[in-house]
Amino acid sequence: MVVPFPAGSLPRPVEGDATDAASPPHDVDASSWPADGIVNSGHRPCARSGAIVWSMRSWPAPALPSSWTNTGAPPFVARREELRALRAAYDDTERGAGRVVFVSGDPGTGKSRLIGQLCAEAHERGAAVLAGTTVQEFGRPLEPFDQALAPLLAAIADAEAAAADADDGDLGRTMADDALALVRDAFARDERSVPVIGQDRLFEAVVEVLVAASAIRPIVMVLDDLHWAGDDAVRLLTRIIPGTADARILMLAASRPHPPDKSDELAEAIERSSHRPNVERVELTPFTAADVTEFLRVGAGLSDEQARASTSALMEVTGGNPFLVRTVWRPAVDAIVSRDTRFEMPESAFEPLRPRIAMLAPAELDVLQAAAVLGQEVDVVELIAVSDQSQDATLDAIDSILRSGLLEPPERADGPFRFPHAIARQAVLGTMTPSSTMRLHGRIAQTLEARFPAAPRLVQRLAHHFSAARALGFGDRAVTYLIQSAESADRRIAHEEAASLFERAAALTGRSDERDELQLRSARSWSLASDFAKARIQRERTLASSDPRTRLRAAIGYEEASFRAALYGTRAAELLTSALDDVSGDDHDPLVIEGLAGLGRAMAYTGDLDTAAIHGDRAIALARELDDDRTLAAVLRARIWHTLRPEGVRERLDQAEELSGLIADMDDDWMGVAATIGSSNAYIVGDPEAMARNERRLVETAQRWGSYWAYWAECCRFGRAFIDGRLTDAGARLSRMSEIELEFRSDAATGAIPIQVYMMRREAGRLTPAARLLTADRAPRSAWTPGLLALYTEFGMEEPCRRTLHWLLDRDHEKAHVSGNWPVRLAFMVEAALALGDRDAGRMLRPLMQDYAGLNVLSAFYVAPLGPADRYLGELDALCDTGDPAAEFASAIQLSEQLEAPLHIAYASASAAAFERRVHGDSAEARSLAERARAIAEPLGLARVLAMLPPRTAIPDPDGLTARETEVLRLLADGLSNREIATELVISEHTAANHVRSILIKVGAPNRTRAARYARERGIV
């Protein structure tokens, strides 16, 4: 079954473009396709930020696996709809639109056969086929990409060498950054160390290399048995999918559809990607009766009459499973012809293979079992070495096994034998007892370790086999190779795989000191993968250590993983307090100083800012006395993250700058903390240069270290776009943040995006859909109460607004004032008091807002950039007839101008204009302030600001538009579709369409674009 997307629906290239090669209809035989090499050699991929540009004349396409070109293979039958979908996807790929097809099906449904058919056809058309398979038990980090990328990197290297030998000056490679070098290092067979970077940078480099290579020839990347891929490889997959959407790359990913084979991570990745226009899903179901008939006729050579006569019984026997059909058709048909009633339907996919296995002699079965434990592919030299038979007996056994069809011969002289299907291998493994399996694992591990130092995946295989044989006394060897496997994953920046392997090693070791160290290493890898919950689990386990310094290291790491996830700090503070008490010694011990700094940050996350400051400041003083830059950087990093409260804001800004200088040359992601705090505090004090400088630092940190910091970089960009009034750009940043947040593990998600969406939509005047969900009788505790209050305020629902405001005021307490969301909570209460004209509430709130006087109000990290506190103070003083509102509004305008923030300038000017009108009527000053606000708000579509301004003198509409039609025209001019207009105005889409038709007739506009121009010319928008 095909889950369709509009295959072939992309716009054709413009006439005359070199890429405009004719594509055949998708339902014709592939023999009619053009086979003239690289069909679209003139293609240039769409420009992408940071993309590689290569001026390479050519790189050779790798040869196809012989299993896809073997003339002895059975002919391809059935699967026409699915093959048409794959061909259509490849057609789109040739035209420059990347495609991803997830092919799923139960074992034996023909996933590899279908993909192999398409790949053979695409290869004939000039595509490079890059194929990788995931190994179930002992794969290398980032498989199957490891195997798939190897021939591409080799081909590029050969092309570069040939060009260098020819002194070809046209080869010049102008690669963005070091993408190719990073990929070569990460996927090198000698497992050299990759430069210290984040996982995202490596993944982006992979995308850049693929996109650049696809400019030379189309690429088909096959990822087989993806259900066994590790979580890091799945992450790479999710990065490649959007990154190759404009490149000539078709990715075919085959997997099984159900647990336990299919991981939750892969299932989530497929689900998240399915909405993308370049992603398609093809689900293979069992053969139909017609498919079985075709197989018997074409593949088995039966006559039409014999095929039709045998189909029903064969369908009953096999259930239409293609592997079973191919395996049992001959005995099944013979039984049908001879009317032998003893032939029984197999109970499982393994059942048809058991008679073949049973026919083997005991010595032959021993060899076959050794092959099965060795893996899906079997090196004959290794098999002879591990066999307990003589060399000649082993070779004779191999011949018998080949004749039985339970193993397939090598594709080349020095190639491996392989099982015809994973089902065949599992059938053999099913014949073994647990004890015999364990002994065989031990023998294989010892043999590989002693005699095969250059074997592929050696470290991973030894970890697997020694682990399986640990009960036989191989536990220490298992730990050794599990650690080496984890370190290999670390070198490839496969953090989750490394973390899991360190965990497994820790569980097996009998040495407590080694267990402690392995748990700490596992925790570090989990943190690098942004899975802070698992990092905390490992740290807590290490707290059982008998060594006080180890416990302190674990407590420091626990607090780090808590603050990264923005968790309440009570548990971290308890652990650090206990660990510090247990460590006696010098106050100038760097570990103790870092523990003290962590304790300060943990106390800040409990709300006890005074105690937090005492610990943090003492840690800084001790670090300065120690005169060690890294220790000082560590404690500054903890100290500046205590709070965004207005007290000490300039000192935090200075400390962030000091931290930036200390860590400029350190291989760590600490610059992210310095830039995050530097940017937010720069906003608070109104320093645009410091904001821009720290945004650049944050973006650079994200590019190097990955999605955790990419999220904060997008928050920073959202904040700048928001205060600029660029609401469309702000929305794009929120979309990107949502995508990044999906990659976060466990409790790393912030939950801030709904507030940011609300802030953006209310500025645009697009909160109307929320009104349908809002009722006046909502209990305050039924939702986030400040948000509920804000909605009541915006919709003018006075009674529930008043009730909710006083509910919040009655429950206000000082400890709440140190939380990250306090500023937005305070602002929403002030706005409600102003909307209600509630002087009593205003008098209660004014001293709380006074704390921020002269500063901008910011909730968390650009969750709600609310602008100058002086504007709110001016509004409150105007309400309560206190203070000097005019001076406060002037101060708010000045701070907004200093920050170069159009949104804040517009608000401050509009508030000042309203106060001036109240005091002096329609004065020139009031009109000037209002016009300044309008001049900013109208082009930017700041509806909420415009609602604060007096209406312009109404000009009769010469075309007779009604008030509702004018409202519809305004939304139409903003680019909204009929459906969006209907949603915004809470009307039906049909009614919206009628209004649009009426508008077009009245204003004489032939289309929506001309109507939008009319609206602009008339000042309607």
Side-chain angles (χ1 to χ4, degrees):
M1 181 180 67
V2 178
V3 182
F5 74 104
S9 64
L10 291 165
R12 294 287 295 176
V14 296
E15 185 175 355
D17 190 317
T19 64
D20 192 11
S23 295
H26 301 149
D27 57 352
V28 301
D29 186 81
S31 60
S32 66
W33 286 15
D36 53 353
I38 303 173
V39 178
N40 297 321
S41 59
H43 174 76
R44 294 179 300 277
C46 297
R48 294 191 318 112
S49 173
I52 299 172
V53 179
W54 261 334
S55 54
M56 183 184 292
R57 288 183 176 176
S58 180
W59 59 273
L64 283 176
S66 63
S67 59
W68 290 347
T69 58
N70 186 357
T71 56
F76 185 83
V77 298
R79 304 297 189 210
R80 288 181 178 78
E81 181 184 359
E82 293 85 351
L83 184 57
R84 276 197 296 270
L86 266 57
R87 286 174 174 169
Y90 182 73
D91 285 346
D92 285 341
T93 298
E94 278 196 334
R95 290 195 288 269
R99 286 287 184 249
V100 179
V101 183
F102 288 104
V103 181
S104 66
D106 290 326
T109 49
K111 300 181 291 294
S112 299
R113 186 72 176 90
L114 171 67
I115 289 173
Q117 179 69 24
L118 186 281
C119 287
E121 296 173 1
H123 189 265
E124 286 295 313
R125 294 174 65 173
V129 177
L130 310 176
T133 301
T134 310
V135 176
Q136 181 177 4
E137 301 100 342
F138 41 76
R140 286 162 61 92
L142 299 179
E143 282 191 347
F145 295 98
D146 170 89
Q147 186 180 359
L149 288 171
L152 171 62
L153 296 175
I156 292 173
D158 291 344
E160 288 177 332
D165 291 342
D167 193 23
D168 187 347
D170 292 337
L171 179 64
R173 190 190 79 199
T174 56
M175 303 189 66
D177 304 320
D178 53 355
L180 182 57
L182 282 177
V183 175
R184 280 174 167 160
D185 286 346
F187 292 94
R189 291 297 175 182
D190 59 4
E191 295 203 353
R192 66 194 72 161
S193 292
V194 178
V196 181
I197 57 170
Q199 193 179 73
D200 277 19
R201 178 65 195 112
L202 172 61
F203 289 179
E204 183 64 22
V206 172
V207 172
E208 291 175 8
V209 169
L210 287 172
V211 170
S214 73
I216 308 301
R217 62 172 68 246
I219 291 174
V220 179
M221 177 175 275
V222 177
L223 308 174
D224 205 3
D225 290 332
L226 195 61
H227 44 273
W228 287 323
D231 290 350
D232 298 286
V234 175
R235 275 192 171 187
L236 175 53
L237 171 69
T238 61
R239 178 58 60 88
I240 292 176
I241 289 172
T244 58
D246 295 324
R248 295 192 301 168
I249 298 173
L250 169 61
M251 189 154 54
L252 303 175
S255 65
R256 297 178 186 175
H258 307 298
D261 292 322
K262 187 176 184 180
S263 68
D264 291 341
E265 183 74 15
L266 178 60
E268 290 172 11
I270 294 174
E271 189 63 32
R272 290 200 308 265
S273 302
S274 295
H275 73 281
R276 293 185 176 277
N278 65 322
V279 175
E280 179 181 10
R281 295 168 70 172
V282 171
E283 300 170 5
L284 299 189
T285 55
F287 274 174
T288 64
D291 295 334
V292 173
T293 300
E294 181 183 2
F295 171 81
L296 292 172
R297 183 175 52 80
V298 177
L302 300 184
S303 67
D304 290 349
E305 183 178 353
Q306 289 175 316
R308 285 193 296 271
S310 304
T311 292
S312 177
L314 194 57
M315 281 291 294
E316 182 180 351
V317 167
T318 65
N321 181 285
F323 177 78
L324 291 179
V325 170
R326 290 193 300 272
T327 303
V328 308
W329 75 267
R330 187 176 298 280
V333 170
D334 289 346
I336 293 166
V337 172
S338 63
R339 302 182 185 279
D340 185 350
T341 59
R342 292 172 297 173
F343 188 83
E344 297 180 358
M345 175 179 170
E347 295 180 359
S348 70
F350 305 143
E351 192 73 27
L353 297 170
R354 286 175 180 157
R356 299 189 197 178
I357 297 172
M359 292 175 64
L360 296 175
E364 294 167 346
L365 179 59
D366 287 346
V367 173
L368 181 60
Q369 289 173 337
V373 176
L374 276 167
Q376 183 69 25
E377 294 186 348
V378 185
D379 182 275
V380 67
V381 180
E382 293 178 3
L383 182 56
I384 291 172
V386 302
S387 172
D388 57 2
Q389 309 293 321
S390 69
Q391 177 176 301
D392 288 342
T394 300
L395 291 173
D396 290 342
I398 291 173
D399 290 339
S400 295
I401 294 167
L402 289 173
R403 285 192 295 272
S404 74
L406 293 168
L407 275 181
E408 293 181 345
E411 297 175 359
R412 59 183 190 278
D414 61 343
F417 292 88
R418 59 167 47 89
F419 285 89
H421 196 281
I423 293 175
R425 180 178 174 234
Q426 291 300 319
V428 176
L429 292 173
T431 66
M432 302 177 67
T433 65
S435 59
S436 65
T437 303
M438 192 183 306
R439 285 192 291 269
L440 191 48
H441 275 295
R443 188 165 78 237
I444 289 172
Q446 290 177 295
T447 303
L448 292 176
E449 184 181 44
R451 298 176 55 182
F452 295 92
R457 300 187 182 89
L458 179 63
V459 169
Q460 291 81 11
R461 294 169 70 189
L462 289 174
H464 168 66
H465 292 303
F466 276 128
S467 294
R470 62 188 180 277
L472 303 180
F474 294 114
D476 288 346
R477 306 305 296 151
V479 169
T480 296
Y481 288 109
L482 284 169
I483 292 172
Q484 291 184 24
S485 297
E487 291 169 344
S488 171
D490 251 348
R491 284 192 291 272
R492 289 200 170 178
I493 322 180
H495 301 311
E496 290 178 83
E497 183 169 347
S500 296
L501 289 165
F502 281 131
E503 271 193 53
R504 289 176 58 191
L508 291 183
T509 185
R511 291 170 41 201
S512 60
D513 58 336
E514 185 177 49
R515 181 183 307 110
D516 294 341
E517 193 61 35
L518 290 171
Q519 287 171 169
L520 292 175
R521 295 181 76 176
S522 174
R524 176 184 178 276
S525 293
W526 283 125
S527 288
L528 288 171
S530 298
D531 196 331
F532 303 116
K534 289 183 179 177
R536 291 194 302 278
I537 290 171
Q538 293 304 307
R539 302 285 187 184
E540 285 220 69
R541 287 175 178 169
T542 314
L543 285 163
S545 171
S546 61
D547 177 42
R549 292 183 65 80
T550 298
R551 293 199 298 274
L552 180 54
R553 290 171 60 200
I556 291 171
Y558 184 95
E559 187 279 329
E560 171 80 13
S562 296
F563 119 79
R564 288 284 187 110
L567 299 183
Y568 202 62
T570 302
R571 177 62 175 159
E574 291 173 353
L575 296 177
L576 277 166
T577 300
S578 176
L580 284 166
D581 288 344
D582 291 341
V583 175
S584 59
D586 188 359
D587 278 350
H588 292 87
D589 180 343
L591 187 64
V592 171
I593 295 172
E594 286 191 39
L596 191 61
L599 177 58
R601 186 168 56 193
M603 293 304 298
Y605 272 75
T606 69
D608 188 351
L609 292 183
D610 292 337
T611 303
I614 291 171
H615 291 313
D617 291 342
R618 174 162 170 70
I620 290 175
L622 291 171
R624 293 194 192 281
E625 292 173 8
L626 188 65
D627 195 25
D628 177 73
D629 284 352
R630 188 167 188 86
T631 302
L632 178 58
V635 299
L636 282 172
R637 174 174 170 268
R639 178 65 178 93
I640 63 177
W641 202 278
H642 283 196
T643 182
L644 286 177
R645 287 284 301 169
E647 301 85 7
V649 59
R650 287 179 172 81
E651 182 182 9
R652 287 196 301 274
L653 193 53
D654 291 341
Q655 289 174 338
E657 282 299 310
E658 182 182 6
L659 175 59
S660 298
L662 288 170
I663 61 180
D665 297 324
M666 293 184 185
D667 284 330
D668 214 322
D669 69 346
W670 291 4
M671 184 64 78
V673 172
T676 300
I677 296 302
S679 173
S680 53
N681 284 275
Y683 170 81
I684 292 171
V685 302
D687 186 341
E689 292 181 2
M691 274 188 70
R693 181 170 61 250
N694 283 289
E695 180 182 332
R696 289 193 299 271
R697 290 170 176 167
L698 198 48
V699 169
E700 289 167 2
T701 302
Q703 289 172 344
R704 186 175 182 188
W705 289 101
S707 59
Y708 178 83
W709 293 113
Y711 177 87
W712 298 110
E714 290 299 333
C715 277
C716 188
R717 288 165 158 171
F718 164 81
R720 184 71 253 186
F722 182 80
I723 67 176
D724 284 348
R726 294 181 284 110
L727 301 183
T728 300
D729 289 347
R733 297 301 176 190
L734 289 181
S735 295
R736 176 64 183 135
M737 287 159 60
S738 297
E739 292 177 359
I740 296 171
E741 203 170 44
L742 289 173
E743 298 177 10
F744 284 178
R745 300 299 187 266
S746 60
D747 51 12
T750 67
I753 291 177
I755 301 175
Q756 292 165 309
V757 170
Y758 168 80
M759 295 294 295
M760 188 181 63
R761 288 185 66 85
R762 80 168 186 170
E763 298 308 327
R766 294 183 177 174
L767 290 174
T768 305
R772 290 176 292 181
L773 305 175
L774 191 63
T775 60
D777 57 354
R778 290 284 295 270
R781 291 188 184 276
S782 66
W784 184 56
T785 313
L788 183 63
L789 174 64
L791 289 172
Y792 285 146
T793 303
E794 293 300 315
F795 293 124
M797 301 171 68
E798 290 191 8
E799 184 51 39
C801 180
R802 189 183 311 279
R803 183 180 69 248
T804 306
L805 172 60
H806 284 277
W807 188 92
L808 284 169
L809 289 172
D810 290 343
R811 288 159 180 79
D812 184 47
H813 54 89
E814 190 171 339
K815 204 164 187 178
H817 302 173
V818 301
S819 71
N821 69 20
W822 167 248
V824 73
R825 180 187 183 105
L826 174 60
F828 287 169
M829 288 193 291
V830 169
E831 290 167 357
L834 294 171
L836 295 168
D838 189 333
R839 292 190 172 193
D840 290 338
R843 292 188 188 98
M844 294 176 63
L845 291 166
R846 194 196 183 287
L848 302 176
M849 186 60 74
Q850 179 64 33
D851 290 345
Y852 298 86
L855 301 171
N856 286 305
V857 181
L858 177 64
S859 190
F861 188 61
Y862 295 111
V863 172
L866 295 155
D870 288 348
R871 181 176 77 84
Y872 289 102
L873 291 170
E875 297 269 19
L876 289 168
D877 283 341
L879 171 66
C880 300
D881 292 325
T882 57
D884 188 351
E888 287 160 337
F889 291 134
S891 174
I893 292 172
Q894 181 182 5
L895 182 60
S896 300
E897 291 172 340
Q898 176 183 308
L899 187 59
E900 301 170 4
L903 176 67
H904 298 340
I905 295 171
Y907 266 119
S909 299
S911 294
F915 179 71
E916 178 69 19
R917 283 196 307 275
R918 173 184 166 187
V919 176
H920 299 111
D922 190 23
S923 65
E925 177 68 11
R927 290 195 298 274
S928 175
L929 288 165
E931 283 308 307
R932 185 183 189 192
R934 195 186 308 278
I936 294 171
E938 283 187 340
L940 295 174
L942 304 178
R944 192 166 182 265
V945 174
L946 292 172
M948 297 170 62
L949 303 175
R952 284 177 170 154
T953 305
I955 302 173
D957 187 344
D959 295 311
L961 294 177
T962 66
R964 175 61 93 180
E965 287 170 344
T966 301
E967 195 173 9
V968 170
L969 179 56
R970 185 177 294 112
L971 295 174
L972 181 152
D974 283 342
L976 274 67
S977 66
N978 287 352
R979 177 173 296 179
E980 291 168 330
I981 291 171
T983 300
E984 195 71 25
L985 300 179
V986 197
I987 58 178
S988 71
E989 188 175 352
H990 177 72
T991 301
N994 286 338
H995 283 313
V996 171
R997 281 193 291 270
S998 176
I999 290 166
L1000 296 179
I1001 293 170
K1002 288 183 178 181
V1003 305
N1007 52 45
R1008 299 169 77 95
T1009 301
R1010 292 291 294 275
R1013 182 186 302 173
Y1014 169 93
R1016 288 190 292 272
E1017 291 171 350
R1018 296 294 193 279
I1020 294 173
V1021 294

